[in-house]
Amino acid sequence: MSENGDIGLIGLAVMGQNLILNMADHGFTVVAFNRSVEKVHNFLANEAKGKSIIGAESIPDLVSKLKSPRRIMLLVKAGDAVDSFINQLVPHLEEGDIIIDGGNSEYQDSERRTKNLAKMGIRFVGAGVSGGEEGARYGPSLMPGGNKAAWPYIKDIFQSISAKADGQPCCDWVGNDGAGHFVKMVHNGIEYGDMQLIGEVYHLMLAIGISQEEMAKTFGEWNKGELDSFLIEITRDILMFKDTDGKYLLPKIRDTAGQKGTGKWTAIAALNYGIPVTLIGEAVFSRCLSALKSERQISSKILPGPTPNFSDDKTKFLDDLKQALYAAKIVSYAQGFMLLREAANVHNWDLDYGAIALMWRGGCIIRSVFLGEIKKAFDKDSSLKSLLLDPFFVEAISKAQTGWRNVVSTAVKLGIPTPALGTALAFYDGYRSEHLPANLLQAQRDYFGAHTYELLGQEGKFVHTNWTGKGGNVSASTYDA
């Protein structure tokens, strides 16, 4: 048996090809396979020519060309395709071999695969991969989880090819079972939120009459400070881009947004774990609303709204927009890390939140200087309940909240939807409130359903009141929903 491949990779779409080239650039020999073998031949004859990349004609051929323990990474469509390739690989593998799923899989699938393959002696890794095509080629953020026994055998490859932040690899072991893909899912949810926030800021800029040239200049300036990030940078570039006719391209693009599901999964997970990740939820629903283009075109001619009339200082309002974006971004990350903490408690994952922030510092879509402050917060207090309680972020929102509130109230007056900016503010105000009106809600539930309630000072004791004098004294089972 020829044992000359360090790692095998199945799936030669752009991401797969770029990861292979990245691995080869870092001194690893990669065995490449694709369901369409012709694609393997084309890759070897072109992009991979002259590099330490070997082609495989079949699954058995792929396995035969790998060193032991064999390391095989899948970059195929999430779902059935991953299980199909695993089933094809297993008969040819030996105890201790490693299968890595680098696609956008649901974390429950990774949890299932880790446990099932462990029974066969095969080590499974569910690895989140972020950074798009460029990241895959020159340094992605990698979030591996699953069977920890696999980590020593893939660590060198993964940390070598990953992006670097302050000289540190944006890759470390995340946790057992589905932890890697869960962290990647939350990353993508935060990405949804960031993009929605930026979109709302853009919408408000349009509403108050800011030219596209000035918008681009503004985003460029913002990218030099605390909002320095990949998404702010590309927003500037998009705003500056002109079509072949010399006119800006952005206004020509249809205002309906697609999605691949990871934002939706984050919102569903938040509901399942009972964590108020409201901003990401609104970002997902905003994409759904954008898809109702034909209905919006009709309703825009029927439904009344305010007459837009902005007479304030535009320069001052642009600064308020910057503050609103920054504050809402803090809330988005705070919610995301709250979800990570709750999932870790449920699944007994030992997540290192500072390390996760570092993994997101480079290579991925949500990379920003902002993440450095998150890492510092968790390095100071690993048991921090919420980023909103860290002194740095307390001070940041304290400075930003006046402008933030002005932006949300101005948007309401102008009739411009700001679901993400608005829900972030509502969450912040709710989180800082010692008292919320849930006492009335509990009374209502007890009134119509005898669901009981707790009295102040008697927590843990559930009582029922016969509110009408006609109901009974028997209560329903208590529950926390």
Side-chain angles (χ1 to χ4, degrees), residues 442-443 445-447 449-456 458-467 472-478:
Q442 288 296 79
R445 292 175 66 245
D446 189 56
Y447 188 110
H451 293 301
T452 74
Y453 55 85
E454 297 170 283
L455 289 169
L456 291 171
Q458 299 182 36
E459 288 78 6
K461 180 182 178 181
F462 292 87
V463 296
H464 165 60
T465 292
N466 184 351
W467 297 88
N473 293 318
V474 178
S475 65
S477 299
T478 58

PDB file of all heavy atoms in Angstrom, residues 442-443 445-447 449-456 458-467 472-478:
ATOM      1  N   GLN A 442     -48.174  36.053  34.415  1.00  0.00           N
ATOM      2  CA  GLN A 442     -48.374  34.878  35.265  1.00  0.00           C
ATOM      3  C   GLN A 442     -49.776  34.855  35.865  1.00  0.00           C
ATOM      4  O   GLN A 442     -50.400  33.802  35.983  1.00  0.00           O
ATOM      5  CB  GLN A 442     -47.324  34.851  36.377  1.00  0.00           C
ATOM      6  CG  GLN A 442     -45.925  34.500  35.897  1.00  0.00           C
ATOM      7  CD  GLN A 442     -45.853  33.085  35.340  1.00  0.00           C
ATOM      8  OE1 GLN A 442     -46.245  32.833  34.200  1.00  0.00           O
ATOM      9  NE2 GLN A 442     -45.363  32.162  36.140  1.00  0.00           N
ATOM     10  N   ALA A 443     -50.266  36.042  36.233  1.00  0.00           N
ATOM     11  CA  ALA A 443     -51.634  36.119  36.760  1.00  0.00           C
ATOM     12  C   ALA A 443     -52.653  35.719  35.695  1.00  0.00           C
ATOM     13  O   ALA A 443     -53.623  35.006  35.976  1.00  0.00           O
ATOM     14  CB  ALA A 443     -51.908  37.536  37.265  1.00  0.00           C
ATOM     15  N   ARG A 445     -52.159  33.687  33.159  1.00  0.00           N
ATOM     16  CA  ARG A 445     -52.060  32.242  32.943  1.00  0.00           C
ATOM     17  C   ARG A 445     -52.780  31.476  34.050  1.00  0.00           C
ATOM     18  O   ARG A 445     -53.434  30.461  33.815  1.00  0.00           O
ATOM     19  CB  ARG A 445     -50.590  31.817  32.877  1.00  0.00           C
ATOM     20  CG  ARG A 445     -49.852  32.341  31.655  1.00  0.00           C
ATOM     21  CD  ARG A 445     -48.363  32.010  31.691  1.00  0.00           C
ATOM     22  NE  ARG A 445     -48.144  30.577  31.594  1.00  0.00           N
ATOM     23  CZ  ARG A 445     -47.614  29.836  32.563  1.00  0.00           C
ATOM     24  NH1 ARG A 445     -47.282  30.383  33.719  1.00  0.00           N
ATOM     25  NH2 ARG A 445     -47.436  28.549  32.392  1.00  0.00           N
ATOM     26  N   ASP A 446     -52.658  31.997  35.274  1.00  0.00           N
ATOM     27  CA  ASP A 446     -53.336  31.333  36.378  1.00  0.00           C
ATOM     28  C   ASP A 446     -54.845  31.535  36.295  1.00  0.00           C
ATOM     29  O   ASP A 446     -55.624  30.632  36.615  1.00  0.00           O
ATOM     30  CB  ASP A 446     -52.813  31.882  37.710  1.00  0.00           C
ATOM     31  CG  ASP A 446     -53.320  31.071  38.887  1.00  0.00           C
ATOM     32  OD1 ASP A 446     -53.092  29.841  38.893  1.00  0.00           O
ATOM     33  OD2 ASP A 446     -53.958  31.650  39.787  1.00  0.00           O
ATOM     34  N   TYR A 447     -55.262  32.722  35.843  1.00  0.00           N
ATOM     35  CA  TYR A 447     -56.684  33.038  35.715  1.00  0.00           C
ATOM     36  C   TYR A 447     -57.368  32.080  34.745  1.00  0.00           C
ATOM     37  O   TYR A 447     -58.405  31.493  35.052  1.00  0.00           O
ATOM     38  CB  TYR A 447     -56.842  34.484  35.253  1.00  0.00           C
ATOM     39  CG  TYR A 447     -58.256  35.023  35.249  1.00  0.00           C
ATOM     40  CD1 TYR A 447     -58.652  35.979  36.169  1.00  0.00           C
ATOM     41  CD2 TYR A 447     -59.190  34.595  34.294  1.00  0.00           C
ATOM     42  CE1 TYR A 447     -59.951  36.488  36.165  1.00  0.00           C
ATOM     43  CE2 TYR A 447     -60.480  35.101  34.278  1.00  0.00           C
ATOM     44  CZ  TYR A 447     -60.862  36.038  35.214  1.00  0.00           C
ATOM     45  OH  TYR A 447     -62.138  36.539  35.203  1.00  0.00           O
ATOM     46  N   GLY A 449     -55.944  29.327  33.126  1.00  0.00           N
ATOM     47  CA  GLY A 449     -55.488  27.941  33.035  1.00  0.00           C
ATOM     48  C   GLY A 449     -55.030  27.334  34.334  1.00  0.00           C
ATOM     49  O   GLY A 449     -54.521  26.199  34.333  1.00  0.00           O
ATOM     50  N   ALA A 450     -55.186  28.053  35.447  1.00  0.00           N
ATOM     51  CA  ALA A 450     -54.778  27.550  36.757  1.00  0.00           C
ATOM     52  C   ALA A 450     -53.332  27.062  36.754  1.00  0.00           C
ATOM     53  O   ALA A 450     -52.998  26.026  37.327  1.00  0.00           O
ATOM     54  CB  ALA A 450     -55.717  26.429  37.213  1.00  0.00           C
ATOM     55  N   HIS A 451     -52.448  27.828  36.078  1.00  0.00           N
ATOM     56  CA  HIS A 451     -51.055  27.411  35.933  1.00  0.00           C
ATOM     57  C   HIS A 451     -50.189  27.793  37.129  1.00  0.00           C
ATOM     58  O   HIS A 451     -49.000  27.464  37.144  1.00  0.00           O
ATOM     59  CB  HIS A 451     -50.463  27.996  34.653  1.00  0.00           C
ATOM     60  CG  HIS A 451     -51.069  27.430  33.408  1.00  0.00           C
ATOM     61  ND1 HIS A 451     -51.038  26.089  33.120  1.00  0.00           N
ATOM     62  CD2 HIS A 451     -51.742  28.026  32.384  1.00  0.00           C
ATOM     63  CE1 HIS A 451     -51.647  25.872  31.961  1.00  0.00           C
ATOM     64  NE2 HIS A 451     -52.088  27.029  31.495  1.00  0.00           N
ATOM     65  N   THR A 452     -50.750  28.500  38.104  1.00  0.00           N
ATOM     66  CA  THR A 452     -50.084  28.920  39.343  1.00  0.00           C
ATOM     67  C   THR A 452     -49.069  30.043  39.111  1.00  0.00           C
ATOM     68  O   THR A 452     -48.706  30.344  37.978  1.00  0.00           O
ATOM     69  CB  THR A 452     -49.380  27.750  40.075  1.00  0.00           C
ATOM     70  OG1 THR A 452     -48.194  27.383  39.388  1.00  0.00           O
ATOM     71  CG2 THR A 452     -50.300  26.554  40.222  1.00  0.00           C
ATOM     72  N   TYR A 453     -48.610  30.602  40.215  1.00  0.00           N
ATOM     73  CA  TYR A 453     -47.618  31.672  40.183  1.00  0.00           C
ATOM     74  C   TYR A 453     -46.846  31.643  41.501  1.00  0.00           C
ATOM     75  O   TYR A 453     -47.239  30.953  42.459  1.00  0.00           O
ATOM     76  CB  TYR A 453     -48.280  33.042  39.978  1.00  0.00           C
ATOM     77  CG  TYR A 453     -49.362  33.356  40.995  1.00  0.00           C
ATOM     78  CD1 TYR A 453     -49.027  33.907  42.231  1.00  0.00           C
ATOM     79  CD2 TYR A 453     -50.692  33.065  40.731  1.00  0.00           C
ATOM     80  CE1 TYR A 453     -50.010  34.170  43.174  1.00  0.00           C
ATOM     81  CE2 TYR A 453     -51.687  33.320  41.671  1.00  0.00           C
ATOM     82  CZ  TYR A 453     -51.339  33.868  42.893  1.00  0.00           C
ATOM     83  OH  TYR A 453     -52.294  34.120  43.842  1.00  0.00           O
ATOM     84  N   GLU A 454     -45.764  32.388  41.549  1.00  0.00           N
ATOM     85  CA  GLU A 454     -44.988  32.527  42.773  1.00  0.00           C
ATOM     86  C   GLU A 454     -45.183  33.940  43.322  1.00  0.00           C
ATOM     87  O   GLU A 454     -45.286  34.901  42.567  1.00  0.00           O
ATOM     88  CB  GLU A 454     -43.496  32.317  42.502  1.00  0.00           C
ATOM     89  CG  GLU A 454     -43.113  30.941  42.010  1.00  0.00           C
ATOM     90  CD  GLU A 454     -41.659  30.912  41.533  1.00  0.00           C
ATOM     91  OE1 GLU A 454     -41.388  31.404  40.422  1.00  0.00           O
ATOM     92  OE2 GLU A 454     -40.809  30.410  42.288  1.00  0.00           O
ATOM     93  N   LEU A 455     -45.221  34.073  44.640  1.00  0.00           N
ATOM     94  CA  LEU A 455     -45.286  35.378  45.280  1.00  0.00           C
ATOM     95  C   LEU A 455     -43.871  35.856  45.604  1.00  0.00           C
ATOM     96  O   LEU A 455     -42.977  35.050  45.875  1.00  0.00           O
ATOM     97  CB  LEU A 455     -46.107  35.297  46.561  1.00  0.00           C
ATOM     98  CG  LEU A 455     -47.612  35.093  46.374  1.00  0.00           C
ATOM     99  CD1 LEU A 455     -48.268  34.757  47.705  1.00  0.00           C
ATOM    100  CD2 LEU A 455     -48.256  36.329  45.761  1.00  0.00           C
ATOM    101  N   LEU A 456     -43.687  37.187  45.557  1.00  0.00           N
ATOM    102  CA  LEU A 456     -42.396  37.753  45.930  1.00  0.00           C
ATOM    103  C   LEU A 456     -42.058  37.356  47.364  1.00  0.00           C
ATOM    104  O   LEU A 456     -42.903  37.422  48.259  1.00  0.00           O
ATOM    105  CB  LEU A 456     -42.428  39.278  45.811  1.00  0.00           C
ATOM    106  CG  LEU A 456     -42.522  39.846  44.384  1.00  0.00           C
ATOM    107  CD1 LEU A 456     -42.755  41.352  44.412  1.00  0.00           C
ATOM    108  CD2 LEU A 456     -41.257  39.530  43.595  1.00  0.00           C
ATOM    109  N   GLN A 458     -41.532  34.409  48.301  1.00  0.00           N
ATOM    110  CA  GLN A 458     -41.897  32.995  48.498  1.00  0.00           C
ATOM    111  C   GLN A 458     -41.545  32.189  47.244  1.00  0.00           C
ATOM    112  O   GLN A 458     -42.308  31.328  46.811  1.00  0.00           O
ATOM    113  CB  GLN A 458     -43.385  32.861  48.824  1.00  0.00           C
ATOM    114  CG  GLN A 458     -43.803  33.578  50.087  1.00  0.00           C
ATOM    115  CD  GLN A 458     -45.282  33.381  50.388  1.00  0.00           C
ATOM    116  OE1 GLN A 458     -45.853  32.320  50.149  1.00  0.00           O
ATOM    117  NE2 GLN A 458     -45.909  34.423  50.923  1.00  0.00           N
ATOM    118  N   GLU A 459     -40.388  32.494  46.674  1.00  0.00           N
ATOM    119  CA  GLU A 459     -39.955  31.836  45.450  1.00  0.00           C
ATOM    120  C   GLU A 459     -39.851  30.324  45.672  1.00  0.00           C
ATOM    121  O   GLU A 459     -39.393  29.856  46.715  1.00  0.00           O
ATOM    122  CB  GLU A 459     -38.604  32.391  44.989  1.00  0.00           C
ATOM    123  CG  GLU A 459     -38.679  33.803  44.417  1.00  0.00           C
ATOM    124  CD  GLU A 459     -38.774  34.892  45.480  1.00  0.00           C
ATOM    125  OE1 GLU A 459     -38.669  34.554  46.682  1.00  0.00           O
ATOM    126  OE2 GLU A 459     -38.975  36.074  45.125  1.00  0.00           O
ATOM    127  N   GLY A 460     -40.307  29.586  44.667  1.00  0.00           N
ATOM    128  CA  GLY A 460     -40.278  28.132  44.749  1.00  0.00           C
ATOM    129  C   GLY A 460     -41.587  27.540  45.226  1.00  0.00           C
ATOM    130  O   GLY A 460     -41.809  26.327  45.107  1.00  0.00           O
ATOM    131  N   LYS A 461     -42.453  28.367  45.782  1.00  0.00           N
ATOM    132  CA  LYS A 461     -43.778  27.910  46.223  1.00  0.00           C
ATOM    133  C   LYS A 461     -44.814  28.388  45.215  1.00  0.00           C
ATOM    134  O   LYS A 461     -45.004  29.592  45.026  1.00  0.00           O
ATOM    135  CB  LYS A 461     -44.090  28.470  47.604  1.00  0.00           C
ATOM    136  CG  LYS A 461     -45.452  28.040  48.142  1.00  0.00           C
ATOM    137  CD  LYS A 461     -45.733  28.670  49.502  1.00  0.00           C
ATOM    138  CE  LYS A 461     -47.118  28.278  50.008  1.00  0.00           C
ATOM    139  NZ  LYS A 461     -47.431  28.910  51.326  1.00  0.00           N
ATOM    140  N   PHE A 462     -45.485  27.454  44.552  1.00  0.00           N
ATOM    141  CA  PHE A 462     -46.441  27.799  43.505  1.00  0.00           C
ATOM    142  C   PHE A 462     -47.863  27.737  44.058  1.00  0.00           C
ATOM    143  O   PHE A 462     -48.268  26.736  44.663  1.00  0.00           O
ATOM    144  CB  PHE A 462     -46.281  26.856  42.317  1.00  0.00           C
ATOM    145  CG  PHE A 462     -44.972  27.029  41.583  1.00  0.00           C
ATOM    146  CD1 PHE A 462     -43.829  26.331  41.992  1.00  0.00           C
ATOM    147  CD2 PHE A 462     -44.865  27.910  40.521  1.00  0.00           C
ATOM    148  CE1 PHE A 462     -42.621  26.499  41.341  1.00  0.00           C
ATOM    149  CE2 PHE A 462     -43.651  28.090  39.860  1.00  0.00           C
ATOM    150  CZ  PHE A 462     -42.531  27.383  40.275  1.00  0.00           C
ATOM    151  N   VAL A 463     -48.593  28.840  43.855  1.00  0.00           N
ATOM    152  CA  VAL A 463     -49.959  28.936  44.389  1.00  0.00           C
ATOM    153  C   VAL A 463     -50.945  29.262  43.273  1.00  0.00           C
ATOM    154  O   VAL A 463     -50.567  29.767  42.208  1.00  0.00           O
ATOM    155  CB  VAL A 463     -50.040  30.010  45.493  1.00  0.00           C
ATOM    156  CG1 VAL A 463     -49.175  29.625  46.680  1.00  0.00           C
ATOM    157  CG2 VAL A 463     -49.639  31.382  44.959  1.00  0.00           C
ATOM    158  N   HIS A 464     -52.195  28.961  43.548  1.00  0.00           N
ATOM    159  CA  HIS A 464     -53.270  29.234  42.588  1.00  0.00           C
ATOM    160  C   HIS A 464     -54.351  30.039  43.288  1.00  0.00           C
ATOM    161  O   HIS A 464     -54.673  29.812  44.454  1.00  0.00           O
ATOM    162  CB  HIS A 464     -53.850  27.917  42.057  1.00  0.00           C
ATOM    163  CG  HIS A 464     -55.165  28.065  41.353  1.00  0.00           C
ATOM    164  ND1 HIS A 464     -55.321  28.862  40.231  1.00  0.00           N
ATOM    165  CD2 HIS A 464     -56.392  27.550  41.612  1.00  0.00           C
ATOM    166  CE1 HIS A 464     -56.578  28.805  39.827  1.00  0.00           C
ATOM    167  NE2 HIS A 464     -57.251  28.016  40.650  1.00  0.00           N
ATOM    168  N   THR A 465     -54.915  31.001  42.575  1.00  0.00           N
ATOM    169  CA  THR A 465     -56.010  31.814  43.089  1.00  0.00           C
ATOM    170  C   THR A 465     -57.285  31.536  42.310  1.00  0.00           C
ATOM    171  O   THR A 465     -57.258  31.428  41.072  1.00  0.00           O
ATOM    172  CB  THR A 465     -55.664  33.314  42.985  1.00  0.00           C
ATOM    173  OG1 THR A 465     -54.595  33.609  43.900  1.00  0.00           O
ATOM    174  CG2 THR A 465     -56.865  34.189  43.329  1.00  0.00           C
ATOM    175  N   ASN A 466     -58.389  31.420  43.001  1.00  0.00           N
ATOM    176  CA  ASN A 466     -59.711  31.289  42.368  1.00  0.00           C
ATOM    177  C   ASN A 466     -60.179  32.711  42.051  1.00  0.00           C
ATOM    178  O   ASN A 466     -60.860  33.355  42.843  1.00  0.00           O
ATOM    179  CB  ASN A 466     -60.676  30.582  43.326  1.00  0.00           C
ATOM    180  CG  ASN A 466     -62.028  30.325  42.682  1.00  0.00           C
ATOM    181  OD1 ASN A 466     -62.311  30.810  41.590  1.00  0.00           O
ATOM    182  ND2 ASN A 466     -62.873  29.574  43.373  1.00  0.00           N
ATOM    183  N   TRP A 467     -59.765  33.233  40.884  1.00  0.00           N
ATOM    184  CA  TRP A 467     -59.925  34.641  40.536  1.00  0.00           C
ATOM    185  C   TRP A 467     -61.382  35.081  40.421  1.00  0.00           C
ATOM    186  O   TRP A 467     -61.708  36.237  40.730  1.00  0.00           O
ATOM    187  CB  TRP A 467     -59.209  34.940  39.211  1.00  0.00           C
ATOM    188  CG  TRP A 467     -57.728  34.733  39.273  1.00  0.00           C
ATOM    189  CD1 TRP A 467     -57.049  33.584  39.035  1.00  0.00           C
ATOM    190  CD2 TRP A 467     -56.742  35.695  39.639  1.00  0.00           C
ATOM    191  NE1 TRP A 467     -55.703  33.750  39.215  1.00  0.00           N
ATOM    192  CE2 TRP A 467     -55.473  35.053  39.579  1.00  0.00           C
ATOM    193  CE3 TRP A 467     -56.788  37.047  40.000  1.00  0.00           C
ATOM    194  CZ2 TRP A 467     -54.288  35.706  39.889  1.00  0.00           C
ATOM    195  CZ3 TRP A 467     -55.597  37.706  40.290  1.00  0.00           C
ATOM    196  CH2 TRP A 467     -54.373  37.039  40.237  1.00  0.00           C
ATOM    197  N   GLY A 472     -62.226  26.393  40.449  1.00  0.00           N
ATOM    198  CA  GLY A 472     -61.858  25.504  41.550  1.00  0.00           C
ATOM    199  C   GLY A 472     -60.540  25.892  42.174  1.00  0.00           C
ATOM    200  O   GLY A 472     -59.898  26.866  41.773  1.00  0.00           O
ATOM    201  N   ASN A 473     -60.142  25.132  43.166  1.00  0.00           N
ATOM    202  CA  ASN A 473     -58.868  25.359  43.813  1.00  0.00           C
ATOM    203  C   ASN A 473     -57.776  24.420  43.350  1.00  0.00           C
ATOM    204  O   ASN A 473     -56.662  24.432  43.864  1.00  0.00           O
ATOM    205  CB  ASN A 473     -59.046  25.220  45.337  1.00  0.00           C
ATOM    206  CG  ASN A 473     -59.916  26.337  45.911  1.00  0.00           C
ATOM    207  OD1 ASN A 473     -59.761  27.474  45.525  1.00  0.00           O
ATOM    208  ND2 ASN A 473     -60.832  25.970  46.806  1.00  0.00           N
ATOM    209  N   VAL A 474     -58.119  23.578  42.360  1.00  0.00           N
ATOM    210  CA  VAL A 474     -57.145  22.645  41.835  1.00  0.00           C
ATOM    211  C   VAL A 474     -56.352  23.331  40.737  1.00  0.00           C
ATOM    212  O   VAL A 474     -56.912  23.928  39.828  1.00  0.00           O
ATOM    213  CB  VAL A 474     -57.822  21.375  41.262  1.00  0.00           C
ATOM    214  CG1 VAL A 474     -56.789  20.426  40.664  1.00  0.00           C
ATOM    215  CG2 VAL A 474     -58.629  20.685  42.374  1.00  0.00           C
ATOM    216  N   SER A 475     -55.022  23.254  40.805  1.00  0.00           N
ATOM    217  CA  SER A 475     -54.173  23.912  39.809  1.00  0.00           C
ATOM    218  C   SER A 475     -53.679  22.918  38.771  1.00  0.00           C
ATOM    219  O   SER A 475     -53.644  21.709  39.023  1.00  0.00           O
ATOM    220  CB  SER A 475     -52.969  24.577  40.491  1.00  0.00           C
ATOM    221  OG  SER A 475     -52.148  23.591  41.080  1.00  0.00           O
ATOM    222  N   ALA A 476     -53.320  23.449  37.627  1.00  0.00           N
ATOM    223  CA  ALA A 476     -52.683  22.618  36.598  1.00  0.00           C
ATOM    224  C   ALA A 476     -51.238  22.376  36.983  1.00  0.00           C
ATOM    225  O   ALA A 476     -50.714  22.998  37.907  1.00  0.00           O
ATOM    226  CB  ALA A 476     -52.755  23.323  35.237  1.00  0.00           C
ATOM    227  N   SER A 477     -50.584  21.481  36.283  1.00  0.00           N
ATOM    228  CA  SER A 477     -49.162  21.250  36.515  1.00  0.00           C
ATOM    229  C   SER A 477     -48.389  22.521  36.207  1.00  0.00           C
ATOM    230  O   SER A 477     -48.686  23.218  35.238  1.00  0.00           O
ATOM    231  CB  SER A 477     -48.641  20.101  35.660  1.00  0.00           C
ATOM    232  OG  SER A 477     -49.330  18.907  35.999  1.00  0.00           O
ATOM    233  N   THR A 478     -47.402  22.830  37.008  1.00  0.00           N
ATOM    234  CA  THR A 478     -46.599  24.024  36.754  1.00  0.00           C
ATOM    235  C   THR A 478     -45.582  23.726  35.666  1.00  0.00           C
ATOM    236  O   THR A 478     -45.127  22.606  35.503  1.00  0.00           O
ATOM    237  CB  THR A 478     -45.855  24.455  38.020  1.00  0.00           C
ATOM    238  OG1 THR A 478     -45.029  23.381  38.450  1.00  0.00           O
ATOM    239  CG2 THR A 478     -46.822  24.834  39.132  1.00  0.00           C
TER     240      THR A 478
END
